[in-house]
């Protein structure tokens, strides 16, 4: 298996960037589009466990658009072959000093394009030995 093929890495990075732009601008239509429409798609969030595309859509529709701006750090995107990738990043929000968010997404290429099939978001106290 080839890891980080340049063309595949560029495709996934573009989708990751598209996701980030949609997240901070609360573009729910794009966020919904980027998750796989499947009952097996899941998202573990800061305060919720969402099983299936319908639960993820409902969460997005009900979420407040306030306070979504954030700064990313140490983003790592790794592709495996031509059809699978993992995107991991840290994020910081001015509204949460002393906290660091962690986000991981599993992306898979389907006939309709790259889709997130699993995501995890959590926030912890910022480690004292932060290396950014």
């Amino acid at each position: 298996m080839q890891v980080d093929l340049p063309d595949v890495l560029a495709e996934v990075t573009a989708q990751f960037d598209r996701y980030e732009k949609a997240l901070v601008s609360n573009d729910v239509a794009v966020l919904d589009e980027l998750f796989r429409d499947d009952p097996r798609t899941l998202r573990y969030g800061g305060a919720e466990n969402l099983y299936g595309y319908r639960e993820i859509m409902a969460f997005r529709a009900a979420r407040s658009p306030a306070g979504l701006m954030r700064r990313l750090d140490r983003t790592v995107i790794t592709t495996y072959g031509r059809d699978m990738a993992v995107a991991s990043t840290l994020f910081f929000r001015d509204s949460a000093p002393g906290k660091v968010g962690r986000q991981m997404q599993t992306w898979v290429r389907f006939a309709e394009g790259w889709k997130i099939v699993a995501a995890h978001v959590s926030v912890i106290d910022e480690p004292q030995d932060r290396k950014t």
Side-chain angles (χ1 to χ4, degrees), residues 23-43:
L23 180 71
V24 299
S25 65
N26 201 41
D27 189 337
V28 175
V30 170
L31 294 170
D32 288 346
E33 173 194 332
L34 292 175
F35 275 82
R36 171 87 169 151
D37 186 350
D38 190 287
R40 295 165 291 195
T41 298
L42 62 92
R43 180 186 178 278

Side-chain angles (χ1 to χ4, degrees), residues 57-70:
M57 279 183 57
F59 167 79
R60 292 277 184 224
R63 183 176 173 172
S64 169
L68 297 177
M69 291 303 299
R70 63 191 195 166

